[in-house]
């Protein structure tokens, strides 16, 4: 039998744009924290804010962030991360 649910209320274009900007702002905030505290390292420790290499030493947060940065329109941040990946051979400088 079909699952019944209430359809979400219609959302205006202005509300959608506001939501997009809030999401982009949250992503920018997270990226700026990573960039400031652990750029090129695997991640940032949540409580201490210290850089962490989780045994990978491959800038996993940076690599994982590439598509998100592009999709939300953070092109300068994307290019900086892309350039780091292009120049890094993860553990051994080219």
């Amino acid at each position: 039998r079909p699952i019944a649910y209430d359809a979400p209320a219609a959302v205006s274009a202005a509300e959608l744009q506001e939501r997009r900007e809030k999401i982009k702002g949250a992503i920018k905030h997270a990226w700026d924290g990573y960039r400031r505290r652990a750029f090129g390292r695997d991640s940032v420790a949540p409580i201490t804010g210290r850089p962490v290499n989780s045994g990978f030493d491959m800038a996993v947060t940076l690599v994982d962030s590439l598509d998100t940065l592009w999709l939300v329109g953070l092109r300068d941040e994307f290019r900086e991360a892309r350039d780091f990946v292009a120049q890094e051979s993860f553990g051994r400088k080219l």
Side-chain angles (χ1 to χ4, degrees):
R1 74 185 167 183
I3 298 172
Y5 68 95
D6 292 329
V11 179
S12 71
E15 175 67 19
L16 287 174
Q17 184 59 34
E18 182 180 341
R19 290 178 184 183
R20 285 185 194 104
E21 292 303 317
K22 285 181 180 180
I23 292 166
K24 183 177 181 177
I27 292 168
K28 173 98 168 93
H29 173 76
W31 176 258
D32 287 346
Y34 168 75
R35 186 179 178 277
R36 185 176 58 256
R37 295 178 174 267
F39 190 84
R41 304 290 289 276
D42 285 345
S43 62
V44 178
I47 295 174
T48 65
R50 292 185 178 141
V52 175
N53 274 331
S54 308
F56 299 105
D57 193 25
M58 295 179 66
V60 293
T61 295
L62 185 145
V63 171
D64 188 48
S65 299
L66 287 167
D67 58 342
T68 301
L69 294 170
W70 182 265
L71 289 171
V72 299
L74 295 172
R75 300 297 196 257
D76 292 339
E77 293 81 353
F78 171 85
R79 287 183 192 98
E80 180 182 28
R82 177 205 59 199
D83 292 349
F84 176 85
V85 171
Q87 296 173 10
E88 177 67 30
S89 82
F90 301 109
R92 298 180 317 269
K93 294 288 183 190
L94 296 174

